[in-house]
Amino acid sequence: MKVLVTVKEVAAVEDDFEIAGTEIDDTYLEYDLNEWDDYAVEEGVQLSEAGDDVEVVTVTIGPERAEETIRMALAKGADRAIRVWDDALEDAELLDVESKSKILSAVVEAEDPDLVLSGVQASDDSFGGTGVALADEVGFEWAAVVNSLDLDVDEQVAHVRRELEGGVEELADVETPAVLTIQTGINEPRYASLRGIRQAQSKEIDPQSFDDLGLDAAVADSALEITDMYEPESESDAQFLDGSAEEQAGELAGVLRDLGVVGQ
Amino acid sequence: MSNVLVVADHRRGELRDVSFELLTAGRQVADATGGDLHAAVVSGDVEEFGDQLNREGVDAVHTVANGEEFNHDVYVQATEALAADVDAEFIVLPNSVNGLDYAPAVANRLDRPYVSDVIDAAYDGGVLEATREMYGSKVETTVEVADGPFVVSIRPGEWPAAEGVGDASVEAADVDIDDSQVRSTVTGFEEVGGGDVDIADAEFLVSIGRGIEEEENLELIEALVEATGATMSSSRPIVDNGWLPKNRQVGQSGKQVTPKVYLAIGISGAVQHVAGMKNAETIIAINTDPNAPIFDIADYGIVGDLFDVVPALIEEFGGDAPNV
Ligand SMILES: Cc1cc2nc3c(=O)[nH]c(=O)nc-3n(C[C@H](O)[C@H](O)[C@H](O)COP(=O)(O)OP(=O)(O)OC[C@H]3O[C@@H](n4cnc5c(N)ncnc54)[C@H](O)[C@@H]3O)c2cc1C
């Protein structure tokens, strides 16, 4: 069995940052493995540990820099990695869901996995759509916001739970091959062990260009364009408590007493 | 003329609030493009739902009876067929958990751009300018969608609900669902997160987020809870890590709470968290990051390190702060 896990390197902005045009300068960004993808990787690795002959392959759309993040997934137990990059992507400011799902679909077609796991959303652009669009593109079945997976390989069905709003879960049976978008909390992602980190160094990260995947450069053209980026105007009328930590705590204690929620 | 189609969201016999917000957002697009607003409801008690969706500004309501509850295979087919039927250029769907499960597929099937989780929208000469957040709500962006048809999903709670009674026709749509293309089955629902305490009843919640860093450090918050008589709740990562049980989670997928005071410590204020606590009477936040979105809805703010402020606060109430 083969499990393909989509792994995105996401950018987080530091507490202090500046916006230049429609971008945040690289110096204010920190790169990391997307939180939701971390859980997807773990789910894939757990499947491989539970069954014989399960290969876990990660796929990333990203520049060479992303290899650091990819190595983290490899160190946690993925077997090998594919990294898609192309000159055409160099200038793409905002890769939309359509572009990502088309690019990833070429990888799915080449790899022919039984299961694709992806994160519910990416913490930087938060589109939350790539997994489901990819499923539709390749004709797989799917389920979004999955927080529990029980895979029946023989019957070719994934018994999943989907986490709905307000503490309600939906139980569903999904035919495989399928794409599942993984919600945090489905498992406990492991830390990479030293041994894992060492082993990851020798695992393969296979670079693939659009040519390799039979994709046209136009796939990088996004229908969406960011025309403005700004810090949201705070509608806050918060009263900030100043001073040293002790002074702040003193004022806060007064507020809590005035509000009547803390005795005397 | 560019018609607009919105598809209502419902669960366990009730239309969800976002359904009526969709009508408002949809009407906005229809006004800008000079088209009609078509609302659709798929599965469940569609006749009842159809009547409820007949609010002011809606031109037609289409019902598709098929099963009781949401099934994405059915919704994708129904939306695709209806879009063709009513000649809908623009499709507006909810960015709810169900929306996450089918809106991207609708866009893909119809080969249209998809803009998700939109919090505001404007139209300029037929071009959609959608407002979205990025980087955990730290920045907002205006995203232009090239002219032509699109699928957008809107964030629940951002548009007012459509009101009044409309004079739309409510009719069964002529849509056939191909059952061979329905490859997933909903087998049930389950409530989770019962247990010892109901944080929804608490008057004073001390809520902790990822700023606490390590499980051992929770001791500090426990001491605060003890000194103040508060109830402890948390953001999602704390529950994901197994540090607190699920019934303590505040937010979209956790509990909705309305305490007199909500003290958010080391919580950034992600939209899914805020969805669960924004109706607290007084919101107080302690966070090292002055730009944390939680401060936007806070009544009182402390920009500071919880490891300095919380021990001092415990002492204010005569408690003993553990060394963490
Ligand atoms: C479908 C879906 C459903 C979800 N449902 C929920 C839900 O129900 N509830 C929920 O909470 N989340 C939910 N989430 C997750 C949500 O998107 C966020 O990931 C989560 O709320 C972040 O939690 P946090 O604020 O504790 O962590 P972070 O966003 O990591 O924030 C930590 C904060 O702590 C501050 N901090 C760090 N160190 C200190 C210190 N020493 N002192 C003071 N402050 C410090 C940081 O500045 C930061 O602002 C959901 C997500 C999805 C996709």
Side-chain angles (χ1 to χ4, degrees):
Chain A
M1 187 175 78
K2 192 189 282 184
V3 182
L4 185 70
V5 187
T6 63
V7 166
K8 188 177 188 223
E9 183 187 63
V10 291
V13 291
E14 291 174 356
D15 287 356
D16 292 311
F17 62 94
E18 275 167 40
I19 295 169
T22 55
E23 276 181 345
I24 294 173
D25 191 87
D26 226 23
T27 51
Y28 304 111
L29 299 177
E30 287 166 34
Y31 292 93
D32 203 351
L33 170 61
N34 180 38
E35 182 180 357
W36 284 267
D37 296 349
D38 193 17
Y39 288 80
V41 169
E42 178 64 32
E43 199 59 22
V45 172
Q46 288 190 9
L47 285 171
S48 79
E49 287 169 344
D52 294 334
D53 214 18
V54 178
E55 187 185 28
V56 180
V57 184
T58 68
V59 54
T60 303
I61 303 170
E64 209 172 330
R65 185 198 59 228
E67 297 206 350
E68 209 178 308
T69 295
I70 298 171
R71 292 264 176 234
M72 270 161 56
L74 290 172
K76 291 174 182 221
D79 297 295
R80 62 185 168 87
I82 295 163
R83 181 176 65 82
V84 183
W85 196 244
D86 196 276
D87 289 346
L89 288 166
E90 215 74 62
D91 302 322
E93 198 180 52
L94 179 69
L95 214 52
D96 66 359
V97 169
E98 193 178 359
S99 299
K100 285 186 231 180
S101 60
K102 295 246 152 60
I103 294 167
L104 293 172
S105 75
V107 176
V108 169
E109 262 142 36
E111 288 286 330
D112 194 23
D114 301 279
L115 193 64
V116 179
L117 302 177
S118 85
V120 168
Q121 63 173 26
S123 61
D124 49 6
D125 63 30
S126 12
F127 276 122
T130 304
V132 170
L134 167 64
D136 191 63
E137 181 68 20
V138 296
F140 281 17
E141 190 48 17
W142 71 85
V145 198
V146 168
N147 72 353
S148 164
L149 165 64
D150 174 12
L151 186 66
D152 187 333
V153 178
D154 297 331
E155 295 292 324
Q156 294 207 314
V157 53
H159 306 286
V160 302
R161 279 172 181 260
R162 293 183 56 231
E163 189 185 77
L164 308 178
E165 291 90 349
V168 177
E169 296 185 347
E170 175 198 291
L171 284 67
D173 289 346
V174 178
E175 284 177 19
T176 61
V179 179
L180 307 178
T181 78
I182 301 297
Q183 172 65 309
T184 59
I186 188 173
N187 53 39
E188 213 175 304
R190 71 196 66 196
Y191 290 99
S193 65
L194 272 175
R195 188 160 154 264
I197 292 168
R198 247 194 337 266
Q199 283 174 343
Q201 293 309 322
S202 56
K203 288 182 183 171
E204 180 196 356
I205 299 179
D206 179 14
Q208 297 269 324
S209 67
F210 283 1
D211 259 357
D212 298 330
L213 292 166
L215 289 165
D216 192 275
V219 76
D221 296 343
S222 178
L224 311 186
E225 188 193 348
I226 298 185
T227 54
D228 199 6
M229 180 182 283
Y230 48 92
E231 289 191 53
E233 217 162 288
S234 174
E235 290 151 17
S236 163
D237 43 13
Q239 187 181 331
F240 283 91
L241 312 179
D242 296 321
S244 68
E246 285 71 24
E247 286 162 347
Q248 289 174 319
E251 275 194 64
L252 178 53
V255 168
L256 292 172
R257 286 195 181 99
D258 288 348
L259 290 167
V261 287
V262 192
Q264 331 83 48
Chain B
M1 203 175 85
S2 309
N3 291 337
V4 179
L5 174 67
V6 308
V7 183
D9 210 15
H10 61 84
R11 180 166 304 139
R12 300 164 109 190
E14 267 184 60
L15 285 173
R16 306 191 64 241
D17 293 346
V18 71
S19 299
F20 303 106
E21 298 160 16
L22 281 166
L23 299 177
T24 307
R27 187 66 248 169
Q28 200 191 341
V29 185
D31 284 345
T33 57
D36 285 340
L37 173 61
H38 295 262
V41 61
V42 184
S43 309
D45 187 353
V46 291
E47 279 172 33
E48 168 70 25
F49 290 154
D51 287 338
Q52 291 176 25
L53 288 169
N54 183 9
R55 296 211 170 166
E56 260 168 47
V58 180
D59 294 301
V61 181
H62 309 270
T63 63
V64 180
N66 189 298
E68 276 313 298
E69 289 288 349
F70 174 82
N71 176 303
H72 63 238
D73 295 313
V74 174
Y75 269 59
V76 173
Q77 285 188 49
T79 309
E80 188 185 9
L82 282 165
D85 252 20
V86 307
D87 204 10
E89 290 252 319
F90 307 114
I91 300 177
V92 185
L93 303 174
N95 199 65
S96 57
V97 174
N98 284 348
L100 284 170
D101 199 38
Y102 84 106
V106 168
N108 189 67
R109 189 112 3 139
L110 297 173
D111 203 13
R112 297 180 184 191
Y114 176 53
V115 204
S116 67
D117 204 20
V118 169
I119 58 173
D120 199 5
Y123 303 87
D124 194 1
V127 176
L128 171 71
E129 287 181 344
T131 307
R132 299 184 76 251
E133 294 181 341
M134 279 180 74
Y135 303 111
S137 307
K138 283 199 173 175
V139 302
E140 272 178 24
T141 59
T142 307
V143 175
E144 234 179 62
V145 188
D147 54 344
F150 55 76
V151 176
V152 310
S153 73
I154 62 162
R155 177 179 296 177
E158 295 292 328
W159 274 263
E163 311 243 354
V165 179
D167 52 10
S169 57
V170 181
E171 275 169 33
D174 189 16
V175 169
D176 280 327
I177 303 296
D178 176 359
D179 285 329
S180 73
Q181 289 307 305
V182 177
R183 294 171 292 160
S184 71
T185 322
V186 177
T187 58
F189 293 93
E190 231 173 77
E191 309 262 356
V192 291
D196 54 337
V197 214
D198 191 352
I199 55 171
D201 291 339
E203 187 177 55
F204 178 22
L205 282 172
V206 167
S207 209
I208 187 66
R210 186 143 45 192
I212 196 69
E213 288 171 11
E214 306 277 342
E215 185 171 14
E216 299 83 82
N217 299 342
L218 273 182
E219 245 182 80
L220 185 64
I221 308 303
E222 278 157 11
L224 178 62
V225 161
E226 194 166 313
T228 57
T231 303
M232 179 146 53
S233 59
S234 80
S235 68
R236 180 175 187 118
I238 304 300
V239 171
D240 285 341
N241 286 342
W243 299 349
L244 283 178
K246 179 91 187 169
N247 62 355
R248 302 289 180 137
Q249 182 181 316
V250 173
Q252 174 191 305
S253 47
K255 278 245 158 67
Q256 301 252 355
V257 296
T258 49
K260 216 163 159 185
V261 175
Y262 189 85
L263 174 57
I265 306 177
I267 292 177
S268 63
V271 52
Q272 298 94 347
H273 185 79
V274 168
M277 45 67 76
K278 59 172 186 259
N279 294 325
E281 249 173 72
T282 301
I283 297 169
I284 307 172
I286 304 175
N287 200 305
T288 42
D289 175 6
N291 298 314
I294 190 80
F295 287 129
D296 290 345
I297 56 159
D299 300 288
Y300 294 93
I302 290 182
V303 177
D305 189 331
L306 73 91
F307 295 105
D308 298 329
V309 178
V310 174
L313 191 58
I314 294 169
E315 271 162 39
E316 285 286 335
F317 291 112
D320 273 329
N323 263 328
V324 297

